[in-house]
Amino acid sequence: MLKKTSRVSLVEQVASQMEELIGNGHWAVGNKLPPEMQLMEEFGVSRNTLREAIRALVHAGLLETKQGSGTVVRSKSSLGVALHRHFEKSSLIETLEVRLALEREAAQLAAKRRSEADVKKLQEYIKQCQAAAEIKDLEAFISADISFHQMIVKAAKNQVLLDLYEHMTDAIYTSIHDIMLDSQFSYDNEIHHELLEAICEQDIHGASTYVNEYIHTFKKRFTNITEG
Amino acid sequence: MLKKTSRVSLVEQVASQMEELIGNGHWAVGNKLPPEMQLMEEFGVSRNTLREAIRALVHAGLLETKQGSGTVVRSKSSLGVALHRHFEKSSLIETLEVRLALEREAAQLAAKRRSEADVKKLQEYIKQCQAAAEIKDLEAFISADISFHQMIVKAAKNQVLLDLYEHMTDAIYTSIHDIMLDSQFSYDNEIHHELLEAICEQDIHGASTYVNEYIHTFKKRFTNITEG
DNA sequence: CTCCTAAAGTTGTAGGATGATTGGTATATA
DNA sequence: TATATACCAATCATCCTACAACTTTAGGAG
């Protein structure tokens, strides 16, 4: 008879509808939701049911509630919070290793698929790196450097790859920041240039070579810090 | 005055405590939780508060409730559900591309770090593949093949990498299955052998070469299906 | 105009009541 | 005894009301 598992609870139905509203942009990120009273009427459920649905999305990172103020949309995806929770319980070096693996793939894909606009933006970030290095602004340098590498992933034209990379970067941002703090400005501006050149010329093998070089350097620096 | 942001709500406190209980194994996967009445007393909160916390974890995939029966622990990690929800809204080919990138990294790491036991298990899965091919049991072949590739990732000795790979495999299992159904038995048993040989001999370059060959073959098959 | 206070609006927490589903127990029947 | 049925207790699902805590806004005092 294979009775179809179980009926979906009201709470899950409401939560799904809310996720849909957030996903399709009807409830835009940053916007405030209608008050509970109104939502109760719109969804036709009691306050308890509605609140359980809201709380589920709050926990997932999609919504944010403030007592006395209201509920606002925090993100379109729950992936960030989930990855953050997961990486909290994971080894930092393992997480870094995976993130670098994504970057390696991204560099090769970017060499294949980059647009002219991508190359332009990459050049722009390198300029920002140099400018920040000249005026000894370490924070600006780190910010531009991270943006450069993120731009490579964007140029790979794979949204899944980009989502994972960005959320991993967020989750371990503090650690990445500290590693770069430790090694000052000098380290990889030459590699930046060579890598950009390869991507620009769509030289997949060259991109692979230089990104591997960068990864090797980065891992070495990390080892130096943790062992020092 | 910098008032310390906001106090953490009771619901989130209870949810965190529950996550801790699940994470450290005090509430083992598959076990049934105490009934709501008892949990209310243990956590010292009202029924509403407790239920909102439970619902948050249900939505995250950690718990599962059945009306009339009780609440059981479903998983120690919410990553699976989050990735599944995310990949549902993503392009299949992009997801496959990232998964293959993880496998590429895994093959190289496995060549470095594999133990003797890993090699033994890999050989075992190849045997299962051959045995299944001989008796024309396609399902068994696919199952053994997927296990082989998963074992490579395990041999890479990176838990983060393994978690991502396994959850991605789960999320797109049906598609992977269909791709393999379409190409029958023949395709990559030779590559299996060569790849295993490289990993066994800790030949990183060889492992890289053969896994790239495998990835190329797999992508080609996928293209054939979607374009045919 | 500025500052303070009061009120209204909103989410947070508590407790109770009823419905729906499940699992087990006791009973009746073959 | 074995089986099927009916019943009952346990448990989660939903709804309701009430009050507390916090925020924002409006209005009044100076």
Side-chain angles (χ1 to χ4, degrees):
Chain A
M1 151 175 169
L2 267 183
K3 180 179 165 190
K4 191 62 178 299
T5 55
S6 63
R7 125 179 178 285
V8 178
S9 74
L10 256 183
V11 176
E12 286 300 330
Q13 291 179 42
V14 173
S16 291
Q17 290 182 53
M18 288 181 167
E19 281 177 332
E20 177 64 22
L21 286 170
I22 295 171
N24 64 26
H26 202 280
W27 283 356
V29 174
N31 281 19
K32 182 146 56 175
L33 269 61
E36 289 177 351
M37 288 296 195
Q38 186 175 335
L39 290 177
M40 286 167 58
E41 291 180 3
E42 290 183 11
F43 289 108
V45 296
S46 74
R47 182 152 182 240
N48 278 352
T49 302
L50 176 73
R51 281 183 58 82
E52 283 182 25
I54 289 177
R55 183 62 61 183
L57 300 199
V58 168
H59 192 75
L62 297 183
L63 298 179
E64 195 169 14
T65 61
K66 250 196 313 183
Q67 184 176 182
S69 174
T71 306
V72 299
V73 181
R74 186 184 172 196
S75 166
K76 288 184 76 166
S77 167
S78 63
L79 194 57
V81 170
L83 288 177
H84 205 281
R85 286 210 182 93
H86 193 258
F87 294 146
E88 268 180 358
K89 302 180 291 187
S90 300
S91 151
L92 174 60
I93 187 166
E94 289 187 359
T95 306
L96 270 174
E97 198 165 75
V98 173
R99 181 170 169 276
L100 289 173
L102 296 181
E103 185 148 357
R104 179 189 324 231
E105 183 76 8
Q108 298 178 238
L109 292 177
K112 279 190 209 166
R113 304 173 182 168
R114 95 291 180 281
S115 67
E116 294 300 326
D118 295 330
V119 175
K120 230 173 180 177
K121 285 180 189 168
L122 285 171
Q123 289 171 330
E124 183 59 34
Y125 286 126
I126 287 186
K127 275 185 194 168
Q128 289 183 18
C129 277
Q130 291 172 325
E134 281 174 12
I135 63 172
K136 305 287 185 195
D137 185 344
L138 195 47
E139 289 300 326
F141 178 82
I142 293 176
S143 171
D145 184 274
I146 291 180
S147 295
F148 174 79
H149 290 281
Q150 187 162 293
M151 190 60 226
I152 291 178
V153 184
K154 283 182 184 168
K157 302 283 186 288
N158 180 319
Q159 188 61 41
V160 173
L161 183 61
L162 178 60
D163 288 339
L164 279 178
Y165 184 83
E166 286 188 332
H167 286 136
M168 289 184 84
T169 303
D170 285 347
I172 58 176
Y173 184 86
T174 308
S175 305
I176 296 174
H177 187 271
D178 290 347
I179 294 173
M180 299 189 66
L181 260 186
D182 196 74
S183 45
Q184 300 295 322
F185 303 98
S186 55
Y187 63 100
D188 55 4
N189 236 333
E190 303 80 19
I191 299 184
H192 278 183
H193 274 109
E194 292 169 322
L195 183 52
L196 171 57
E197 180 71 14
I199 290 176
C200 182
E201 301 298 324
Q202 304 203 281
D203 172 11
I204 297 175
H205 184 264
S208 174
T209 301
Y210 293 124
V211 80
N212 279 330
E213 194 175 324
Y214 163 73
I215 288 175
H216 181 72
T217 308
F218 194 90
K219 278 190 175 178
K220 204 169 175 183
R221 278 193 280 148
F222 177 76
T223 310
N224 285 342
I225 292 177
T226 52
E227 286 179 356
Chain B
M1 157 176 167
L2 267 182
K3 182 180 166 191
K4 193 62 178 300
T5 56
S6 63
R7 125 178 178 285
V8 177
S9 75
L10 258 183
V11 176
E12 286 300 329
Q13 290 180 42
V14 173
S16 291
Q17 289 183 54
M18 287 181 168
E19 282 177 331
E20 178 64 23
L21 286 170
I22 295 170
N24 65 25
H26 201 280
W27 283 356
V29 174
N31 280 18
K32 180 145 62 175
L33 269 60
E36 289 177 350
M37 287 295 197
Q38 187 176 333
L39 290 177
M40 285 167 58
E41 292 179 3
E42 289 183 13
F43 289 109
V45 296
S46 75
R47 187 171 158 85
N48 279 349
T49 302
L50 177 74
R51 281 184 58 80
E52 283 183 24
I54 289 177
R55 182 64 60 183
L57 300 198
V58 167
H59 192 76
L62 297 183
L63 298 179
E64 196 169 15
T65 60
K66 249 196 316 183
Q67 186 176 182
S69 173
T71 306
V72 300
V73 181
R74 187 185 172 196
S75 167
K76 287 184 77 165
S77 167
S78 63
L79 194 57
V81 169
L83 288 176
H84 206 279
R85 285 210 182 95
H86 194 258
F87 293 146
E88 268 180 0
K89 301 180 291 186
S90 301
S91 151
L92 173 60
I93 187 167
E94 288 187 0
T95 306
L96 269 175
E97 197 165 76
V98 173
R99 182 171 168 274
L100 289 174
L102 295 181
E103 185 149 356
R104 185 197 319 251
E105 182 77 8
Q108 298 178 239
L109 291 177
K112 279 191 208 164
R113 305 173 181 168
R114 94 290 180 282
S115 68
E116 294 300 326
D118 295 331
V119 174
K120 230 174 180 177
K121 286 180 188 167
L122 285 171
Q123 290 172 330
E124 183 60 34
Y125 286 127
I126 287 186
K127 277 185 193 168
Q128 289 183 20
C129 278
Q130 292 173 324
E134 282 174 11
I135 64 173
K136 305 288 183 194
D137 185 344
L138 195 47
E139 288 300 327
F141 178 82
I142 293 176
S143 171
D145 184 273
I146 290 180
S147 295
F148 174 79
H149 290 281
Q150 186 162 295
M151 190 60 225
I152 291 179
V153 183
K154 282 181 183 168
K157 303 283 187 289
N158 180 320
Q159 189 61 42
V160 173
L161 183 61
L162 178 60
D163 287 339
L164 279 178
Y165 184 83
E166 287 187 332
H167 285 134
M168 290 185 84
T169 303
D170 285 347
I172 57 176
Y173 184 85
T174 308
S175 305
I176 295 174
H177 186 272
D178 290 348
I179 294 173
M180 301 190 65
L181 261 186
D182 196 75
S183 46
Q184 301 295 321
F185 303 98
S186 55
Y187 62 102
D188 55 4
N189 235 334
E190 305 80 19
I191 299 183
H192 278 182
H193 273 109
E194 292 170 321
L195 183 52
L196 171 57
E197 179 72 15
I199 290 175
C200 181
E201 300 298 325
Q202 305 202 281
D203 172 10
I204 296 175
H205 184 264
S208 175
T209 301
Y210 293 124
V211 79
N212 279 331
E213 193 174 325
Y214 162 73
I215 287 174
H216 182 73
T217 307
F218 194 91
K219 278 190 176 179
K220 205 169 175 183
R221 278 193 280 148
F222 177 77
T223 309
N224 285 342
I225 293 177
T226 50
E227 286 180 356

